[in-house]
Amino acid sequence: MGQLDGKVAIVTGAAKGFGLATTKAFVNEGAKVVMTDVDDKEGQKQAAEIGDKVIFIKQDVSKEEEWPQVFEKAEHTFGPVDVLLNNAGILIFDNAETFKLDDFHKILSVDLDGVVLGQKYGIQHMKKHGGSIINLCSIAGLIGIPNLFSYNAGKGAVRLITKSAALYCCEKKYPIRINSVHPGYAHTPMVDAYPEMRQSLEALHPMGRLGSADEIANMCVFLASDKSSFSTGSEFVTDGGYTAQ
């Protein structure tokens, strides 16, 4: 038996990287998954390769009007949603002195607004039967990084809205757990797009390497499963020792 047998999950940003790896891991553990992404072509391709336990829906997580239809399609196709992975995110290199306000708002619209909206509709749809909401954050939600100013702002906020929402659900007696996952640098299209930085990024991690998308997916499987039933409002760091220094 799989750890997620009978569960229905929504994974945003699922066309590649952590989202795609976690979708595959969820399916391997018995879940049915609704994949969403702005990249319609790649999302449809990956869904077709994974098989009939997944469907793909094109979604811009920053647009509130697109969230209800994702949950409605999931419920119509597979049944009530048990797991939501708020994974979709973008990155721009900038700093506190020269950042552009348009870029700052662009980062926040996806990396923060997308998570805020996911939580909102996840809570609304899970509050009767329960579930697990997982917010894919970053070590940038725990520590400052000089050339990731806007990204720091978004991920730092995700860390705390996770805790706020988790406590709200406890207060309301909703059987919903909400946690954040904080990867270090890992092999994803977002990181691998900068091969000239690989050696310097590896050196930041005491384990001497970057993480893999599968290693992050394994943490998400744990949080999606009933094995993490006493964890809510918590931070799960998967960073090869980066933040232990």
Short mmCIF file of all heavy atoms in Angstrom, two decimals, residues 38-105:
data_model
loop_
_atom_site.label_atom_id
_atom_site.label_comp_id
_atom_site.label_asym_id
_atom_site.label_seq_id
_atom_site.Cartn_x
_atom_site.Cartn_y
_atom_site.Cartn_z
N VAL A 38 1.29 27.59 -15.51
CA VAL A 38 1.04 28.52 -16.61
C VAL A 38 1.55 27.95 -17.93
O VAL A 38 1.12 28.37 -19.01
CB VAL A 38 1.68 29.90 -16.36
CG1 VAL A 38 1.00 30.62 -15.22
CG2 VAL A 38 3.18 29.77 -16.11
N ASP A 39 2.48 27.00 -17.85
CA ASP A 39 3.06 26.39 -19.05
C ASP A 39 2.15 25.26 -19.52
O ASP A 39 2.33 24.10 -19.15
CB ASP A 39 4.46 25.86 -18.73
CG ASP A 39 5.22 25.40 -19.97
OD1 ASP A 39 4.58 25.17 -21.02
OD2 ASP A 39 6.46 25.24 -19.88
N ASP A 40 1.19 25.61 -20.33
CA ASP A 40 0.17 24.66 -20.78
C ASP A 40 0.77 23.51 -21.59
O ASP A 40 0.44 22.34 -21.37
CB ASP A 40 -0.88 25.41 -21.60
CG ASP A 40 -2.06 24.53 -21.98
OD1 ASP A 40 -2.60 23.83 -21.10
OD2 ASP A 40 -2.45 24.54 -23.16
N LYS A 41 1.66 23.82 -22.50
CA LYS A 41 2.23 22.80 -23.38
C LYS A 41 3.01 21.75 -22.60
O LYS A 41 2.79 20.55 -22.76
CB LYS A 41 3.14 23.46 -24.43
CG LYS A 41 3.74 22.48 -25.42
CD LYS A 41 4.57 23.21 -26.47
CE LYS A 41 5.19 22.22 -27.47
NZ LYS A 41 6.03 22.94 -28.49
N GLU A 42 3.91 22.20 -21.72
CA GLU A 42 4.73 21.25 -20.95
C GLU A 42 3.87 20.52 -19.92
O GLU A 42 4.07 19.32 -19.67
CB GLU A 42 5.87 21.99 -20.25
CG GLU A 42 6.88 21.08 -19.56
CD GLU A 42 7.64 20.17 -20.50
OE1 GLU A 42 7.71 20.49 -21.71
OE2 GLU A 42 8.17 19.14 -20.03
N GLY A 43 2.91 21.22 -19.33
CA GLY A 43 2.03 20.57 -18.36
C GLY A 43 1.22 19.45 -18.98
O GLY A 43 1.10 18.36 -18.40
N GLN A 44 0.65 19.70 -20.15
CA GLN A 44 -0.13 18.67 -20.84
C GLN A 44 0.76 17.48 -21.21
O GLN A 44 0.35 16.32 -21.10
CB GLN A 44 -0.76 19.26 -22.11
CG GLN A 44 -1.82 20.31 -21.86
CD GLN A 44 -3.15 19.72 -21.41
OE1 GLN A 44 -3.29 18.52 -21.18
NE2 GLN A 44 -4.15 20.58 -21.29
N LYS A 45 1.98 17.78 -21.66
CA LYS A 45 2.91 16.72 -22.04
C LYS A 45 3.26 15.84 -20.85
O LYS A 45 3.21 14.59 -20.95
CB LYS A 45 4.19 17.35 -22.61
CG LYS A 45 5.29 16.34 -22.91
CD LYS A 45 6.59 17.04 -23.29
CE LYS A 45 7.73 16.05 -23.43
NZ LYS A 45 9.02 16.73 -23.71
N GLN A 46 3.58 16.45 -19.72
CA GLN A 46 3.96 15.67 -18.54
C GLN A 46 2.78 14.87 -18.00
O GLN A 46 2.94 13.72 -17.58
CB GLN A 46 4.50 16.61 -17.45
CG GLN A 46 5.80 17.30 -17.80
CD GLN A 46 6.97 16.34 -17.97
OE1 GLN A 46 6.94 15.20 -17.48
NE2 GLN A 46 8.01 16.79 -18.64
N ALA A 47 1.61 15.46 -18.02
CA ALA A 47 0.42 14.75 -17.54
C ALA A 47 0.15 13.51 -18.39
O ALA A 47 -0.20 12.44 -17.87
CB ALA A 47 -0.78 15.68 -17.54
N ALA A 48 0.30 13.66 -19.70
CA ALA A 48 0.07 12.52 -20.59
C ALA A 48 1.06 11.40 -20.33
O ALA A 48 0.71 10.21 -20.40
CB ALA A 48 0.16 12.99 -22.05
N GLU A 49 2.30 11.77 -20.02
CA GLU A 49 3.33 10.76 -19.75
C GLU A 49 3.09 10.05 -18.41
O GLU A 49 3.38 8.85 -18.28
CB GLU A 49 4.72 11.40 -19.77
CG GLU A 49 5.16 11.86 -21.14
CD GLU A 49 6.54 12.51 -21.13
OE1 GLU A 49 7.16 12.57 -20.05
OE2 GLU A 49 7.00 12.94 -22.20
N ILE A 50 2.58 10.77 -17.43
CA ILE A 50 2.35 10.15 -16.11
C ILE A 50 1.17 9.18 -16.14
O ILE A 50 1.21 8.11 -15.53
CB ILE A 50 2.13 11.25 -15.04
CG1 ILE A 50 3.42 12.05 -14.86
CG2 ILE A 50 1.73 10.62 -13.70
CD1 ILE A 50 3.27 13.30 -14.02
N GLY A 51 0.10 9.55 -16.85
CA GLY A 51 -1.01 8.60 -16.99
C GLY A 51 -2.33 9.08 -16.43
O GLY A 51 -2.52 10.27 -16.14
N ASP A 52 -3.26 8.13 -16.27
CA ASP A 52 -4.64 8.49 -15.96
C ASP A 52 -4.89 8.85 -14.50
O ASP A 52 -6.03 9.15 -14.12
CB ASP A 52 -5.60 7.38 -16.39
CG ASP A 52 -5.31 6.04 -15.72
OD1 ASP A 52 -4.45 5.99 -14.82
OD2 ASP A 52 -5.96 5.05 -16.09
N LYS A 53 -3.86 8.84 -13.67
CA LYS A 53 -4.04 9.27 -12.27
C LYS A 53 -3.83 10.77 -12.11
O LYS A 53 -3.88 11.29 -10.99
CB LYS A 53 -3.09 8.51 -11.34
CG LYS A 53 -3.48 7.06 -11.14
CD LYS A 53 -2.64 6.41 -10.06
CE LYS A 53 -3.10 4.99 -9.78
NZ LYS A 53 -2.31 4.36 -8.68
N VAL A 54 -3.60 11.47 -13.23
CA VAL A 54 -3.42 12.91 -13.17
C VAL A 54 -4.24 13.59 -14.26
O VAL A 54 -4.53 12.99 -15.30
CB VAL A 54 -1.94 13.34 -13.31
CG1 VAL A 54 -1.07 12.67 -12.27
CG2 VAL A 54 -1.42 13.06 -14.71
N ILE A 55 -4.59 14.83 -14.01
CA ILE A 55 -5.11 15.71 -15.04
C ILE A 55 -4.35 17.03 -14.93
O ILE A 55 -3.79 17.35 -13.88
CB ILE A 55 -6.63 15.97 -14.92
CG1 ILE A 55 -6.98 16.63 -13.58
CG2 ILE A 55 -7.41 14.69 -15.12
CD1 ILE A 55 -8.41 17.14 -13.52
N PHE A 56 -4.34 17.79 -16.02
CA PHE A 56 -3.65 19.07 -16.03
C PHE A 56 -4.64 20.19 -16.28
O PHE A 56 -5.53 20.08 -17.12
CB PHE A 56 -2.56 19.11 -17.10
CG PHE A 56 -1.91 20.46 -17.21
CD1 PHE A 56 -0.93 20.84 -16.31
CD2 PHE A 56 -2.31 21.37 -18.19
CE1 PHE A 56 -0.35 22.11 -16.38
CE2 PHE A 56 -1.73 22.63 -18.27
CZ PHE A 56 -0.74 23.00 -17.36
N ILE A 57 -4.47 21.28 -15.53
CA ILE A 57 -5.27 22.49 -15.72
C ILE A 57 -4.31 23.67 -15.81
O ILE A 57 -3.46 23.84 -14.94
CB ILE A 57 -6.24 22.73 -14.55
CG1 ILE A 57 -7.19 21.54 -14.37
CG2 ILE A 57 -7.03 24.02 -14.75
CD1 ILE A 57 -8.06 21.65 -13.13
N LYS A 58 -4.46 24.49 -16.84
CA LYS A 58 -3.65 25.70 -16.94
C LYS A 58 -4.14 26.68 -15.88
O LYS A 58 -5.34 26.94 -15.76
CB LYS A 58 -3.77 26.32 -18.32
CG LYS A 58 -2.86 27.54 -18.50
CD LYS A 58 -2.95 28.10 -19.91
CE LYS A 58 -2.01 29.30 -20.08
NZ LYS A 58 -2.06 29.87 -21.44
N GLN A 59 -3.20 27.23 -15.09
CA GLN A 59 -3.57 28.14 -14.01
C GLN A 59 -2.47 29.15 -13.75
O GLN A 59 -1.29 28.80 -13.66
CB GLN A 59 -3.83 27.36 -12.71
CG GLN A 59 -4.23 28.26 -11.54
CD GLN A 59 -4.14 27.58 -10.19
OE1 GLN A 59 -3.43 26.60 -10.03
NE2 GLN A 59 -4.86 28.11 -9.21
N ASP A 60 -2.87 30.40 -13.60
CA ASP A 60 -2.00 31.45 -13.07
C ASP A 60 -2.39 31.62 -11.61
O ASP A 60 -3.46 32.14 -11.30
CB ASP A 60 -2.21 32.75 -13.84
CG ASP A 60 -1.33 33.88 -13.35
OD1 ASP A 60 -0.81 33.81 -12.22
OD2 ASP A 60 -1.17 34.88 -14.09
N VAL A 61 -1.54 31.16 -10.69
CA VAL A 61 -1.90 31.13 -9.27
C VAL A 61 -2.11 32.52 -8.69
O VAL A 61 -2.73 32.67 -7.62
CB VAL A 61 -0.83 30.38 -8.43
CG1 VAL A 61 -0.76 28.93 -8.83
CG2 VAL A 61 0.54 31.06 -8.52
N SER A 62 -1.61 33.57 -9.36
CA SER A 62 -1.75 34.93 -8.85
C SER A 62 -3.14 35.52 -9.12
O SER A 62 -3.46 36.59 -8.60
CB SER A 62 -0.69 35.84 -9.45
OG SER A 62 -0.93 36.08 -10.83
N LYS A 63 -3.95 34.84 -9.91
CA LYS A 63 -5.28 35.33 -10.27
C LYS A 63 -6.35 34.58 -9.47
O LYS A 63 -6.56 33.38 -9.67
CB LYS A 63 -5.52 35.17 -11.77
CG LYS A 63 -4.57 36.02 -12.61
CD LYS A 63 -4.83 35.84 -14.09
CE LYS A 63 -3.90 36.73 -14.92
NZ LYS A 63 -4.12 36.56 -16.38
N GLU A 64 -7.01 35.29 -8.58
CA GLU A 64 -7.97 34.64 -7.69
C GLU A 64 -9.10 33.95 -8.44
O GLU A 64 -9.56 32.88 -8.04
CB GLU A 64 -8.55 35.64 -6.68
CG GLU A 64 -9.50 34.99 -5.69
CD GLU A 64 -9.82 35.85 -4.49
OE1 GLU A 64 -9.49 37.06 -4.51
OE2 GLU A 64 -10.40 35.31 -3.52
N GLU A 65 -9.54 34.54 -9.54
CA GLU A 65 -10.68 33.98 -10.26
C GLU A 65 -10.39 32.60 -10.86
O GLU A 65 -11.33 31.87 -11.22
CB GLU A 65 -11.13 34.93 -11.38
CG GLU A 65 -10.12 35.16 -12.49
CD GLU A 65 -9.17 36.33 -12.25
OE1 GLU A 65 -9.03 36.74 -11.07
OE2 GLU A 65 -8.56 36.82 -13.22
N GLU A 66 -9.12 32.20 -10.94
CA GLU A 66 -8.79 30.89 -11.50
C GLU A 66 -8.76 29.78 -10.45
O GLU A 66 -8.74 28.60 -10.80
CB GLU A 66 -7.45 30.96 -12.23
CG GLU A 66 -7.49 31.88 -13.45
CD GLU A 66 -6.24 31.78 -14.30
OE1 GLU A 66 -5.46 30.81 -14.13
OE2 GLU A 66 -6.04 32.69 -15.14
N TRP A 67 -8.75 30.14 -9.16
CA TRP A 67 -8.65 29.12 -8.11
C TRP A 67 -9.91 28.28 -7.93
O TRP A 67 -9.82 27.04 -7.83
CB TRP A 67 -8.24 29.76 -6.79
CG TRP A 67 -6.76 29.89 -6.64
CD1 TRP A 67 -6.00 31.00 -6.86
CD2 TRP A 67 -5.85 28.85 -6.29
NE1 TRP A 67 -4.68 30.72 -6.65
CE2 TRP A 67 -4.55 29.41 -6.29
CE3 TRP A 67 -6.00 27.51 -5.96
CZ2 TRP A 67 -3.41 28.67 -5.98
CZ3 TRP A 67 -4.86 26.76 -5.64
CH2 TRP A 67 -3.60 27.34 -5.66
N PRO A 68 -11.12 28.86 -7.90
CA PRO A 68 -12.31 28.03 -7.68
C PRO A 68 -12.47 26.91 -8.71
O PRO A 68 -12.83 25.78 -8.37
CB PRO A 68 -13.45 29.03 -7.76
CG PRO A 68 -12.84 30.32 -7.33
CD PRO A 68 -11.46 30.30 -7.91
N GLN A 69 -12.17 27.22 -9.98
CA GLN A 69 -12.35 26.20 -11.02
C GLN A 69 -11.37 25.03 -10.86
O GLN A 69 -11.69 23.90 -11.24
CB GLN A 69 -12.20 26.82 -12.40
CG GLN A 69 -10.81 27.33 -12.73
CD GLN A 69 -10.74 28.07 -14.06
OE1 GLN A 69 -11.78 28.40 -14.65
NE2 GLN A 69 -9.54 28.32 -14.54
N VAL A 70 -10.20 25.30 -10.29
CA VAL A 70 -9.24 24.22 -10.07
C VAL A 70 -9.78 23.23 -9.05
O VAL A 70 -9.76 22.01 -9.26
CB VAL A 70 -7.87 24.79 -9.61
CG1 VAL A 70 -6.94 23.65 -9.16
CG2 VAL A 70 -7.23 25.59 -10.73
N PHE A 71 -10.32 23.74 -7.94
CA PHE A 71 -10.90 22.85 -6.94
C PHE A 71 -12.15 22.15 -7.46
O PHE A 71 -12.37 20.96 -7.20
CB PHE A 71 -11.21 23.63 -5.65
CG PHE A 71 -10.02 23.76 -4.74
CD1 PHE A 71 -9.15 24.83 -4.85
CD2 PHE A 71 -9.76 22.79 -3.77
CE1 PHE A 71 -8.05 24.94 -4.02
CE2 PHE A 71 -8.67 22.89 -2.94
CZ PHE A 71 -7.81 23.98 -3.07
N GLU A 72 -12.97 22.88 -8.21
CA GLU A 72 -14.18 22.28 -8.76
C GLU A 72 -13.85 21.15 -9.73
O GLU A 72 -14.49 20.09 -9.70
CB GLU A 72 -15.02 23.36 -9.45
CG GLU A 72 -15.66 24.34 -8.48
CD GLU A 72 -16.15 25.60 -9.16
OE1 GLU A 72 -16.16 25.64 -10.41
OE2 GLU A 72 -16.53 26.55 -8.43
N LYS A 73 -12.86 21.36 -10.59
CA LYS A 73 -12.46 20.32 -11.54
C LYS A 73 -11.87 19.12 -10.81
O LYS A 73 -12.13 17.96 -11.16
CB LYS A 73 -11.46 20.88 -12.54
CG LYS A 73 -11.06 19.92 -13.66
CD LYS A 73 -12.23 19.59 -14.56
CE LYS A 73 -11.82 18.67 -15.71
NZ LYS A 73 -10.93 19.35 -16.70
N ALA A 74 -11.07 19.38 -9.79
CA ALA A 74 -10.48 18.29 -9.00
C ALA A 74 -11.57 17.45 -8.35
O ALA A 74 -11.54 16.21 -8.40
CB ALA A 74 -9.54 18.86 -7.94
N GLU A 75 -12.54 18.11 -7.73
CA GLU A 75 -13.61 17.40 -7.02
C GLU A 75 -14.50 16.64 -8.00
O GLU A 75 -14.93 15.52 -7.71
CB GLU A 75 -14.42 18.39 -6.20
CG GLU A 75 -13.64 18.95 -5.01
CD GLU A 75 -14.30 20.16 -4.36
OE1 GLU A 75 -15.32 20.65 -4.93
OE2 GLU A 75 -13.82 20.59 -3.30
N HIS A 76 -14.75 17.23 -9.15
CA HIS A 76 -15.59 16.57 -10.16
C HIS A 76 -14.89 15.34 -10.73
O HIS A 76 -15.52 14.32 -11.00
CB HIS A 76 -15.92 17.55 -11.28
CG HIS A 76 -16.70 16.94 -12.40
ND1 HIS A 76 -18.06 16.64 -12.29
CD2 HIS A 76 -16.34 16.55 -13.66
CE1 HIS A 76 -18.49 16.11 -13.42
NE2 HIS A 76 -17.46 16.05 -14.26
N THR A 77 -13.58 15.43 -10.91
CA THR A 77 -12.82 14.35 -11.55
C THR A 77 -12.43 13.24 -10.58
O THR A 77 -12.60 12.05 -10.86
CB THR A 77 -11.55 14.90 -12.21
OG1 THR A 77 -11.89 15.96 -13.09
CG2 THR A 77 -10.82 13.79 -12.99
N PHE A 78 -11.91 13.63 -9.42
CA PHE A 78 -11.34 12.66 -8.49
C PHE A 78 -12.03 12.58 -7.13
O PHE A 78 -11.89 11.58 -6.42
CB PHE A 78 -9.86 12.97 -8.25
CG PHE A 78 -8.99 12.82 -9.47
CD1 PHE A 78 -8.04 13.79 -9.79
CD2 PHE A 78 -9.09 11.71 -10.29
CE1 PHE A 78 -7.21 13.65 -10.89
CE2 PHE A 78 -8.27 11.56 -11.41
CZ PHE A 78 -7.33 12.53 -11.71
N GLY A 79 -12.74 13.64 -6.72
CA GLY A 79 -13.34 13.67 -5.40
C GLY A 79 -12.74 14.78 -4.55
O GLY A 79 -11.92 15.57 -5.02
N PRO A 80 -13.15 14.87 -3.26
CA PRO A 80 -12.68 15.94 -2.38
C PRO A 80 -11.15 15.99 -2.30
O PRO A 80 -10.48 14.96 -2.26
CB PRO A 80 -13.29 15.57 -1.03
CG PRO A 80 -14.50 14.76 -1.38
CD PRO A 80 -14.12 13.98 -2.59
N VAL A 81 -10.62 17.21 -2.27
CA VAL A 81 -9.17 17.41 -2.24
C VAL A 81 -8.65 17.23 -0.81
O VAL A 81 -9.16 17.84 0.13
CB VAL A 81 -8.81 18.80 -2.78
CG1 VAL A 81 -7.30 19.05 -2.64
CG2 VAL A 81 -9.25 18.94 -4.23
N ASP A 82 -7.61 16.40 -0.67
CA ASP A 82 -7.00 16.12 0.63
C ASP A 82 -5.67 16.85 0.82
O ASP A 82 -5.24 17.08 1.96
CB ASP A 82 -6.73 14.62 0.78
CG ASP A 82 -7.97 13.79 0.55
OD1 ASP A 82 -8.86 13.83 1.41
OD2 ASP A 82 -8.04 13.10 -0.49
N VAL A 83 -5.00 17.17 -0.28
CA VAL A 83 -3.65 17.73 -0.22
C VAL A 83 -3.52 18.87 -1.22
O VAL A 83 -3.96 18.74 -2.38
CB VAL A 83 -2.58 16.66 -0.55
CG1 VAL A 83 -1.18 17.27 -0.49
CG2 VAL A 83 -2.69 15.47 0.38
N LEU A 84 -2.93 19.97 -0.79
CA LEU A 84 -2.59 21.06 -1.70
C LEU A 84 -1.13 21.40 -1.52
O LEU A 84 -0.69 21.71 -0.40
CB LEU A 84 -3.44 22.30 -1.41
CG LEU A 84 -2.99 23.59 -2.10
CD1 LEU A 84 -3.10 23.48 -3.62
CD2 LEU A 84 -3.80 24.79 -1.60
N LEU A 85 -0.36 21.33 -2.60
CA LEU A 85 1.04 21.77 -2.58
C LEU A 85 1.12 23.09 -3.34
O LEU A 85 0.98 23.13 -4.57
CB LEU A 85 1.96 20.74 -3.23
CG LEU A 85 3.42 21.18 -3.40
CD1 LEU A 85 4.07 21.50 -2.07
CD2 LEU A 85 4.23 20.12 -4.15
N ASN A 86 1.32 24.18 -2.60
CA ASN A 86 1.53 25.50 -3.20
C ASN A 86 3.00 25.62 -3.58
O ASN A 86 3.83 26.07 -2.79
CB ASN A 86 1.14 26.59 -2.19
CG ASN A 86 -0.35 26.73 -2.03
OD1 ASN A 86 -1.09 26.81 -3.01
ND2 ASN A 86 -0.81 26.76 -0.79
N ASN A 87 3.30 25.22 -4.80
CA ASN A 87 4.68 25.13 -5.24
C ASN A 87 5.07 26.20 -6.25
O ASN A 87 6.25 26.58 -6.32
CB ASN A 87 4.93 23.75 -5.86
CG ASN A 87 6.23 23.68 -6.63
OD1 ASN A 87 7.32 23.66 -6.05
ND2 ASN A 87 6.14 23.68 -7.96
N ALA A 88 4.15 26.71 -7.03
CA ALA A 88 4.48 27.63 -8.11
C ALA A 88 5.28 28.82 -7.60
O ALA A 88 4.94 29.43 -6.58
CB ALA A 88 3.20 28.11 -8.80
N GLY A 89 6.34 29.16 -8.32
CA GLY A 89 7.16 30.28 -7.90
C GLY A 89 8.07 30.75 -9.02
O GLY A 89 8.35 30.01 -9.96
N ILE A 90 8.51 32.00 -8.92
CA ILE A 90 9.46 32.56 -9.88
C ILE A 90 10.58 33.25 -9.10
O ILE A 90 10.43 33.54 -7.91
CB ILE A 90 8.79 33.56 -10.84
CG1 ILE A 90 8.13 34.70 -10.07
CG2 ILE A 90 7.79 32.84 -11.73
CD1 ILE A 90 7.56 35.80 -10.97
N LEU A 91 11.68 33.53 -9.78
CA LEU A 91 12.85 34.12 -9.14
C LEU A 91 13.46 35.18 -10.04
O LEU A 91 13.55 35.00 -11.26
CB LEU A 91 13.88 33.03 -8.82
CG LEU A 91 15.20 33.42 -8.18
CD1 LEU A 91 15.70 32.33 -7.24
CD2 LEU A 91 16.27 33.67 -9.27
N ILE A 92 13.85 36.30 -9.43
CA ILE A 92 14.60 37.35 -10.12
C ILE A 92 15.75 37.76 -9.20
O ILE A 92 15.54 37.94 -8.00
CB ILE A 92 13.71 38.58 -10.41
CG1 ILE A 92 12.58 38.22 -11.37
CG2 ILE A 92 14.55 39.72 -10.98
CD1 ILE A 92 11.57 39.34 -11.56
N PHE A 93 16.95 37.87 -9.75
CA PHE A 93 18.08 38.36 -8.96
C PHE A 93 18.00 39.89 -8.85
O PHE A 93 17.91 40.59 -9.86
CB PHE A 93 19.40 37.94 -9.59
CG PHE A 93 19.69 36.47 -9.49
CD1 PHE A 93 19.50 35.63 -10.58
CD2 PHE A 93 20.13 35.92 -8.30
CE1 PHE A 93 19.75 34.27 -10.49
CE2 PHE A 93 20.39 34.56 -8.19
CZ PHE A 93 20.19 33.73 -9.29
N ASP A 94 18.01 40.39 -7.62
CA ASP A 94 18.01 41.84 -7.41
C ASP A 94 18.56 42.14 -6.02
O ASP A 94 18.95 41.22 -5.29
CB ASP A 94 16.60 42.43 -7.60
CG ASP A 94 15.57 41.87 -6.63
OD1 ASP A 94 15.93 41.07 -5.73
OD2 ASP A 94 14.37 42.22 -6.76
N ASN A 95 18.61 43.40 -5.66
CA ASN A 95 19.14 43.77 -4.35
C ASN A 95 18.38 44.96 -3.79
O ASN A 95 17.55 45.58 -4.47
CB ASN A 95 20.65 44.07 -4.44
CG ASN A 95 20.95 45.24 -5.35
OD1 ASN A 95 20.60 46.38 -5.06
ND2 ASN A 95 21.59 44.96 -6.48
N ALA A 96 18.65 45.28 -2.53
CA ALA A 96 17.87 46.29 -1.82
C ALA A 96 18.08 47.71 -2.35
O ALA A 96 17.24 48.58 -2.10
CB ALA A 96 18.24 46.25 -0.33
N GLU A 97 19.16 47.93 -3.08
CA GLU A 97 19.45 49.28 -3.56
C GLU A 97 18.89 49.55 -4.95
O GLU A 97 18.38 50.66 -5.21
CB GLU A 97 20.97 49.51 -3.57
CG GLU A 97 21.35 50.91 -4.03
CD GLU A 97 22.85 51.14 -4.06
OE1 GLU A 97 23.61 50.16 -3.92
OE2 GLU A 97 23.26 52.31 -4.21
N THR A 98 18.95 48.56 -5.83
CA THR A 98 18.63 48.84 -7.24
C THR A 98 17.43 48.05 -7.76
O THR A 98 17.16 48.06 -8.95
CB THR A 98 19.85 48.52 -8.13
OG1 THR A 98 20.16 47.12 -8.04
CG2 THR A 98 21.06 49.35 -7.71
N PHE A 99 16.69 47.38 -6.87
CA PHE A 99 15.55 46.58 -7.34
C PHE A 99 14.53 47.47 -8.05
O PHE A 99 14.41 48.67 -7.78
CB PHE A 99 14.89 45.84 -6.17
CG PHE A 99 14.01 46.71 -5.30
CD1 PHE A 99 12.65 46.79 -5.54
CD2 PHE A 99 14.56 47.45 -4.27
CE1 PHE A 99 11.84 47.60 -4.75
CE2 PHE A 99 13.76 48.26 -3.47
CZ PHE A 99 12.39 48.32 -3.71
N LYS A 100 13.77 46.86 -8.95
CA LYS A 100 12.70 47.57 -9.66
C LYS A 100 11.36 47.18 -9.03
O LYS A 100 11.08 46.00 -8.82
CB LYS A 100 12.71 47.20 -11.14
CG LYS A 100 13.99 47.63 -11.86
CD LYS A 100 13.98 47.18 -13.30
CE LYS A 100 15.28 47.60 -14.01
NZ LYS A 100 15.30 47.14 -15.42
N LEU A 101 10.54 48.17 -8.74
CA LEU A 101 9.29 47.92 -8.05
C LEU A 101 8.38 46.99 -8.85
O LEU A 101 7.68 46.15 -8.27
CB LEU A 101 8.57 49.23 -7.75
CG LEU A 101 7.39 49.14 -6.76
CD1 LEU A 101 7.86 48.61 -5.41
CD2 LEU A 101 6.74 50.51 -6.60
N ASP A 102 8.40 47.09 -10.17
CA ASP A 102 7.57 46.20 -10.99
C ASP A 102 8.01 44.74 -10.81
O ASP A 102 7.17 43.84 -10.74
CB ASP A 102 7.67 46.58 -12.46
CG ASP A 102 6.87 47.84 -12.80
OD1 ASP A 102 6.05 48.26 -11.94
OD2 ASP A 102 7.06 48.39 -13.89
N ASP A 103 9.34 44.52 -10.76
CA ASP A 103 9.84 43.16 -10.54
C ASP A 103 9.48 42.67 -9.14
O ASP A 103 9.13 41.50 -8.95
CB ASP A 103 11.36 43.12 -10.72
CG ASP A 103 11.78 43.25 -12.17
OD1 ASP A 103 10.93 43.04 -13.05
OD2 ASP A 103 12.96 43.56 -12.42
N PHE A 104 9.58 43.56 -8.16
CA PHE A 104 9.22 43.22 -6.78
C PHE A 104 7.77 42.75 -6.72
O PHE A 104 7.46 41.70 -6.15
CB PHE A 104 9.42 44.45 -5.90
CG PHE A 104 9.17 44.22 -4.43
CD1 PHE A 104 10.15 43.66 -3.63
CD2 PHE A 104 7.97 44.58 -3.85
CE1 PHE A 104 9.94 43.46 -2.27
CE2 PHE A 104 7.74 44.39 -2.49
CZ PHE A 104 8.73 43.83 -1.70
N HIS A 105 6.87 43.49 -7.33
CA HIS A 105 5.45 43.12 -7.33
C HIS A 105 5.20 41.85 -8.14
O HIS A 105 4.33 41.05 -7.79
CB HIS A 105 4.62 44.26 -7.88
CG HIS A 105 4.53 45.43 -6.94
ND1 HIS A 105 4.30 46.71 -7.36
CD2 HIS A 105 4.66 45.51 -5.59
CE1 HIS A 105 4.27 47.53 -6.32
NE2 HIS A 105 4.51 46.82 -5.24
#
